[in-house]
Amino acid sequence: MRPPRSTPRSRRAAAAALAALLALGAPATATAGPAGDPGRHRPCVASRPPEHGRARDILRIAEQAKADMGLKSVILRVTVDGRELVTTALGESMTGVPATPAMHFRNGNIAIAYMGTALLRLVDQGTVGLDDPVARWLPGLKDGDRITLRMLAASTTGLVDYVRLPAFQQAVVADPFRRWTADEVVRLSTSQDRWYAPGTNWSYSHANFVLLGAALEKITGTRLDVLLQRQVLGPLGLRETRNSFTPDIPEPVLHAFTSDRGTYEESTFWNPSWTTAPGAVETTDICDLARSAAGIGSGRLLSPASYRELLNPGTVGLGHATATCPAKICITQTEATHYGLGLLVLGDWVSQHPLFFGYSASQAYLPSERLSIAVSTTNGPDAAAGHTAHVITQRIAAALAPTHPIPDFG
């Protein structure tokens, strides 16, 4: 099938689609290599093809979703209490190259959950308080004396999301290989009027997490990628999860393709520098993603008090439309569906689901059942729009834990 030609209309549509990306990584501002050497260990591999039972049910869900959604690949891993239920890869990375569980892909806003956990570990260690004003470390930030670390991590600052700005969307679509700096993207947000006064409402903004990363570096005197490795990735055993200050992805690579610019093209190495804080633009594999779901979702690295803050830092009850903030941006935060510190609480699940130009991923954890679901997808030429990996995760959850469905957010 011949890909569609790019037209001004399709380019405008592609730019508009960016506004829905509550997704990935961040602006690179350094050229140094990754923190530490992950060393050699057994790669992530597929489990034996299941013939019956829950593992076979999961495989059927994935196969059906791949066909229904027009996906090029589906990679998944499901564990219960850390024990593998099923690990599999369907489809291709590139033409003639089968997808495998060992392939690396972008993990996007999942790294924001690592920043939230790292912040809470610093709270547990007595280094900072969640309600400390960020002006202490970011003196140039307007209203920094009224914005706290909690507000950055919980996304309640009122800062406009630069990803929603038409000029930014057009620039990214016009040159997806462009390297954006943290200063550039933050300036895009701070040059706009705030949606609301800090702490009085809720709205997602990528700028919050770029600033949170900068604050964490200033607080600790440590580069963010090194800090996350020490505080989160290392303790959770995430040996295939790492930052890169370039668009590179470690081998083996799960290649991505997208029609977001009006023609079906490879997007594997499009630059994710704008997506989150420098040092938190990461790649991972499906085994690490399942470990991440359990490690973050269980609060394993946190005190009981900090785990409660992780799941509800005061966001429940916030989120309402105002004269300056429409309901589709200031989304209502309820007990059932709300934002925590860098993650989503969806019913009984702790979740996050990034999206970036042909890549979709999802991690979800059900604490009561110690059930972890990790899914990664890439797009075929006629793929369905949106968070396809998260939709598959919802379907698997419905099959394995029917009394604990994963609701939609917003």
Side-chain angles (χ1 to χ4, degrees):
M1 180 177 178
R2 183 182 231 170
R5 292 177 57 195
S6 179
T7 66
R9 177 178 295 178
S10 65
R11 287 193 293 272
R12 288 194 298 271
L18 274 174
L21 290 180
L22 303 186
L24 203 84
T29 57
T31 56
D37 181 355
R40 302 300 300 170
H41 65 106
R42 185 172 181 264
C44 187
V45 298
S47 53
R48 183 175 299 177
E51 297 180 359
H52 52 77
R54 292 189 298 172
R56 181 57 190 160
D57 292 341
I58 294 167
L59 183 58
R60 287 197 184 101
I61 290 169
E63 291 170 337
Q64 189 64 52
K66 179 179 178 296
D68 292 346
M69 298 180 188
L71 301 175
K72 192 171 186 67
S73 72
V74 177
I75 305 176
L76 64 83
R77 179 175 173 88
V78 179
T79 64
V80 180
D81 202 15
R83 295 186 298 273
E84 178 187 64
L85 186 56
V86 63
T87 304
T88 194
L90 307 174
E92 296 181 319
S93 171
M94 298 185 292
T95 301
V97 180
T100 70
M103 287 180 168
H104 298 98
F105 50 88
R106 303 201 186 279
N107 70 351
N109 59 13
I110 287 166
I112 294 171
Y114 303 155
M115 283 196 279
T117 290
L119 172 60
L120 287 169
R121 295 201 79 191
L122 295 175
V123 172
D124 283 341
Q125 294 157 16
T127 304
V128 294
L130 273 183
D131 296 312
D132 290 347
V134 299
R136 189 175 304 176
W137 304 282
L138 305 176
L141 179 64
K142 182 182 178 182
D143 293 330
D145 57 336
R146 300 170 59 203
I147 294 174
T148 65
L149 294 170
R150 181 194 302 271
M151 291 175 195
L152 287 179
S155 209
T156 61
T157 64
L159 281 169
V160 167
D161 189 0
Y162 55 83
V163 169
R164 293 182 178 273
L165 299 176
F168 175 80
Q169 295 170 10
Q170 291 160 14
V172 171
V173 168
D175 183 6
F177 296 100
R178 174 178 170 176
R179 174 182 171 270
W180 295 79
T181 68
D183 286 345
E184 283 179 309
V185 295
V186 168
R187 200 158 48 242
L188 287 172
S189 285
T190 56
S191 66
Q192 307 291 312
D193 291 336
R194 295 280 169 85
W195 286 118
Y196 47 84
T200 62
N201 210 332
W202 185 91
S203 60
Y204 189 96
S205 175
H206 288 72
N208 291 326
F209 307 109
V210 178
L211 290 166
L212 177 61
L216 289 172
E217 289 190 333
K218 292 290 183 66
I219 289 165
T220 61
T222 305
R223 207 174 69 186
L224 183 60
D225 60 320
V226 177
L227 177 68
L228 294 181
Q229 177 65 37
R230 291 175 181 170
Q231 293 285 353
V232 181
L233 308 184
L236 291 182
L238 306 183
R239 300 183 67 182
E240 292 297 325
T241 304
R242 67 200 73 171
N243 167 75
S244 178
F245 289 110
T246 77
D248 193 23
I249 299 176
E251 293 285 349
V253 179
L254 179 66
H255 287 252
F257 302 81
T258 183
S259 299
D260 283 338
R261 299 202 306 166
T263 186
Y264 186 63
E265 58 188 328
E266 180 163 6
S267 53
T268 308
F269 300 109
W270 286 6
N271 201 324
S273 57
W274 53 268
T275 52
T276 196
V281 184
E282 295 176 345
T283 55
T284 193
D285 71 7
I286 204 67
C287 285
D288 264 17
L289 195 63
R291 290 187 195 100
S292 168
I296 296 298
S298 66
R300 195 177 94 195
L301 302 180
L302 302 175
S303 68
S306 283
Y307 182 52
R308 289 192 294 271
E309 295 282 9
L310 179 76
L311 300 185
N312 180 18
T315 48
V316 172
L318 295 179
H320 53 276
T322 68
T324 58
C325 190
K328 66 180 181 180
I329 292 174
C330 287
I331 298 171
T332 301
Q333 307 291 291
T334 69
E335 190 69 39
T337 59
H338 63 269
Y339 204 74
L341 284 181
L343 48 74
L344 287 163
V345 176
L346 301 178
D348 298 323
W349 296 77
V350 184
S351 177
Q352 200 46 293
H353 44 275
L355 181 68
F356 180 80
F357 289 128
Y359 282 112
S360 175
S362 177
Q363 70 172 36
Y365 183 70
L366 180 60
S368 64
E369 304 294 330
R370 297 182 180 179
L371 172 61
S372 299
I373 304 173
V375 181
S376 171
T377 63
T378 57
N379 290 344
D382 302 308
H387 295 271
T388 54
H390 182 60
V391 172
I392 294 172
T393 297
Q394 288 176 305
R395 293 178 184 179
I396 293 171
L400 298 183
T403 60
H404 303 279
I406 302 179
D408 293 325
F409 177 70

